[in-house]
Amino acid sequence: MAEELTPETPEESGEEPIKQRKNGLYAEVSDELAENMKSGWADTELHGLEPIAQAEHTARRRAALSAHFPGERLVIPAGNLRTRSNDTEYAFRASTEYAYLTGDQSEDGVLVMEPVAAGSDGTGGHKATIYLLPRSNRENGEFWLDGQGELWVGRRHSLAEAEQLLGIPAKDVRELPERLREATGPVRAVRGHDAAIEAALTDKVTAERDEELRVFLSEARLVKDAFEIAELQKACDSTARGFEDVVKVLDRAEATSERYIEGTFFLRARVEGNDVGYGSICAAGPHATTLHWVRNDGAVRSGELLLLDAGVETTELYTADVTRTLPINGRFTPLQRKIYDAVHEAQEAGIAAVRPGAAFRDFHDAAQRVLATRLVEWGLLGDMDVEKVLELGLQRRWTLHGTGHMLGMDVHDCAAARTERYVDTTLEPGMCLTVEPGLYFQADDLTVPAEYRGIGVRIEDDILVTEDGNRNLSEALPRQADEVEAWMARLNG
Ligand code: GLY
Ligand code: MN
Ligand code: MN
């Protein structure tokens, strides 16, 4: 029978032998095996699927986008896998813009908003289509011979299943570059995620018009809807559990390194969410004065502080961003506590300034004023008064960074929003932001007494602006010094 299937060897026919990718190498495949693998598979198509929980929200978000760019084709890619080394890839995380508008997270997915000709009432709007990799074909072997075949990477939803789940008509993404090349009329795309899609559009898009689309999608996310607020709460609750996990293993971290803390928090993030929302900052001792300490390879010592800045990203890609500064042995020294209390007082002043109608800058100014006052009191700024210090910004040698930022799917969310819609705006209910003052005395800072050097303290919470003020989404974690000590003692009791 073999002869009937393969009358010629591949060499005689001049054809390439069939090969299967395996662990970075290729294995040749007999025609018999290739034929065998085509059949004998059950039909697993799913029917009557319920729409995903946020389908109504994503539909409303797409409607707002459509209204803003009438008559224009809009292309929003999820992005592709990125090579880590040879044939292994980084964990995939869909672009924020794509996930926000579709609720989907498939690699290679693309949302296309196709303008519809205006009817007699003048409104056309857009027809949304989601372009996805379909189920793998078993007949042509891609199911098991191709690196993106479902046998290797797992079952995907069929296009029909995706339509039911997402509420968006779905088509095969492999046809999209050609369609985009042939399409006429104005186009905008979100850049930086999918080189093949961008290549299909090169002569049709301009950087400036694409940037306007990115800015719109950043500003659209400034005010969170009910689904997003619930996700942010989930992220904060998981994060609180992750911080508790860390407190319980501080003795093991002392016996190893900051990596034990990173790994412990990561376990919680992976079990309850998608990932960490950013590289965890597990900064013990003087590392706390390095704002983005993510090497996390240092020693964890009793008597020093641990600055842990970490956030769980939920399965729907909303992240918390929380910092606690904890005494590794469970008790603050008097100097650590003095510095900690000042940061806590600054944070309280900052949180109190978060309410609808307040300027975005108010909470930063309130926190900076407290910190400058304490720094002057401690004699670190000579005989200069607080007003002069604030005018010259001299406190910033030790406060270093802004007091907070918008939070959402990106840890530094809405970053492309225009100044007038973000830092120069007034707060509105539904905005969510961090309040995160800190004081950092570098180990080599000769302008402060020696005992201050190497101490860094930040306290960071995630604050939702409500109709009548604010709600602290991360309030499950104590902040006041006595409460922190009591909480640590209870967890280790
Ligand atoms: N985790 C980075 C930040 O606090 O902004
Ligand atoms: Mn943070
Ligand atoms: Mn932050």
Side-chain angles (χ1 to χ4, degrees):
M1 296 302 282
E3 294 86 274
E4 283 178 35
L5 292 171
T6 53
E8 297 170 310
T9 64
E11 287 74 19
E12 285 165 346
S13 69
E15 289 168 14
E16 282 290 305
I18 302 171
K19 290 178 178 172
Q20 183 196 29
R21 187 196 76 155
K22 201 176 180 199
N23 304 334
L25 304 173
Y26 288 87
E28 288 198 14
V29 170
S30 70
D31 288 357
E32 289 84 348
L33 177 59
E35 193 61 27
N36 175 286
M37 289 294 282
K38 289 181 183 177
S39 59
W41 309 108
D43 178 2
T44 60
E45 183 73 10
L46 303 169
H47 301 280
L49 296 174
E50 292 294 320
I52 57 170
Q54 61 173 319
E56 275 175 34
H57 295 283
T58 58
R60 208 180 46 247
R61 297 170 197 161
R62 290 193 300 276
L65 175 65
S66 168
H68 197 79
F69 295 104
E72 303 189 30
R73 179 174 291 104
L74 308 171
V75 181
I76 300 107
N80 319 120
L81 290 175
R82 280 174 212 248
T83 302
R84 180 176 184 275
S85 177
N86 186 19
D87 64 344
T88 57
E89 283 98 19
Y90 288 104
F92 179 72
R93 199 256 192 202
S95 77
T96 289
E97 293 89 348
Y98 174 86
Y100 175 75
L101 291 168
T102 65
D104 183 56
Q105 297 180 30
S106 305
E107 63 220 39
D108 298 335
V110 185
L111 172 70
V112 177
M113 303 281 286
E114 196 75 35
V116 175
S120 52
D121 61 355
T123 57
H126 290 77
K127 178 179 189 296
T129 304
I130 193 160
Y131 287 86
L132 297 167
L133 275 178
R135 301 283 324 271
S136 294
N137 187 320
R138 315 255 171 159
E139 277 294 310
N140 69 11
E142 71 179 18
F143 159 67
W144 68 297
L145 296 173
D146 185 282
Q148 278 189 308
E150 289 180 303
L151 182 124
W152 290 95
V153 299
R155 187 190 189 281
R156 286 186 279 272
H157 285 299
S158 71
L159 298 181
E161 290 166 0
E163 283 188 16
Q164 295 169 59
L165 291 166
L166 305 174
I168 310 171
K171 292 197 169 130
D172 188 336
V173 70
R174 293 170 299 190
E175 297 161 11
L176 183 60
E178 194 52 36
R179 277 178 197 238
L180 291 176
R181 263 188 287 274
E182 285 169 4
T184 54
V187 188
R188 297 181 198 250
V190 175
R191 295 190 182 201
H193 302 301
D194 191 323
I197 295 297
E198 286 178 35
L201 291 169
T202 32
D203 51 352
K204 294 190 164 73
V205 291
T206 67
E208 195 183 329
R209 283 165 40 78
D210 287 353
E211 180 61 11
E212 285 170 4
L213 173 59
R214 194 170 80 98
V215 168
F216 175 83
L217 288 171
S218 220
E219 294 180 357
R221 302 200 314 275
L222 281 165
V223 174
K224 270 65 184 175
D225 61 37
F227 178 87
E228 298 184 283
I229 292 168
E231 283 296 311
L232 286 166
Q233 184 65 69
K234 252 189 241 173
C236 286
D237 292 346
S238 287
T239 297
R241 289 189 280 276
F243 274 64
E244 294 196 347
D245 297 339
V246 166
V247 169
K248 289 182 193 161
V249 299
L250 283 174
D251 56 341
R252 302 225 204 135
E254 279 186 57
T256 52
S257 77
E258 295 164 336
R259 291 282 164 93
Y260 207 96
I261 294 164
E262 180 182 335
T264 300
F265 189 81
F266 183 63
L267 177 63
R268 180 66 67 169
R270 284 295 283 169
V271 168
E272 294 194 4
N274 178 58
D275 202 338
V276 287
Y278 53 92
S280 300
I281 297 166
C282 307
H287 291 155
T289 64
T290 301
L291 291 182
H292 284 174
W293 177 258
V294 291
R295 282 183 238 156
N296 300 339
D297 58 357
V300 177
R301 297 185 194 90
S302 175
E304 295 186 331
L305 296 173
L306 167 68
L307 185 156
L308 175 59
D309 180 345
V312 172
E313 178 188 67
T314 65
T315 54
E316 304 307 315
L317 308 186
Y318 288 81
T319 190
D321 180 12
V322 175
T323 306
R324 289 293 180 267
T325 305
L326 309 171
I328 289 161
N329 64 13
R331 299 298 295 262
F332 290 102
T333 66
L335 179 62
Q336 289 168 350
R337 194 182 179 107
K338 177 174 98 165
I339 296 167
Y340 185 93
D341 284 347
V343 174
H344 181 231
E345 185 190 348
Q347 200 207 20
E348 291 280 275
I351 293 173
V354 175
R355 57 178 173 274
F360 177 81
R361 292 177 192 273
D362 285 355
F363 74 94
H364 173 69
D365 293 344
Q368 290 289 301
R369 176 167 291 277
V370 171
L371 295 175
T373 303
R374 295 289 161 253
L375 290 164
V376 167
E377 258 176 38
W378 298 341
L380 302 187
L381 286 154
D383 53 7
M384 203 175 283
D385 69 29
V386 171
E387 297 309 324
K388 193 69 183 168
V389 167
L390 288 168
E391 184 192 324
L392 299 177
L394 292 179
Q395 81 285 359
R396 289 168 58 186
R397 181 180 178 100
W398 302 293
T399 67
L400 295 185
H401 54 78
T403 306
H405 51 82
M406 296 295 178
L407 181 72
M409 300 185 83
D410 292 338
V411 62
H412 297 157
D413 209 33
C414 313
R418 290 163 297 171
T419 308
E420 63 266 32
R421 290 284 290 124
Y422 189 164
V423 282
D424 286 343
T425 198
T426 52
L427 299 178
E428 293 172 43
M431 288 179 166
C432 184
L433 47 94
T434 65
V435 178
E436 52 174 307
L439 280 176
Y440 311 90
F441 300 102
Q442 305 299 317
D444 58 354
D445 187 344
L446 300 181
T447 71
V448 296
E451 63 270 25
Y452 283 60
R453 295 176 201 158
I455 295 181
V457 174
R458 176 163 67 255
I459 313 174
E460 175 172 28
D461 281 82
D462 301 343
I463 310 295
L464 174 71
V465 183
T466 58
E467 294 293 337
D468 55 0
N470 70 61
R471 179 151 58 89
N472 184 345
L473 301 181
S474 43
E475 70 184 353
L477 288 171
R479 294 180 288 131
Q480 195 273 334
D482 288 332
E483 290 173 14
V484 168
E485 288 183 349
W487 170 73
M488 293 181 75
R490 181 164 50 76
L491 289 172
N492 284 320

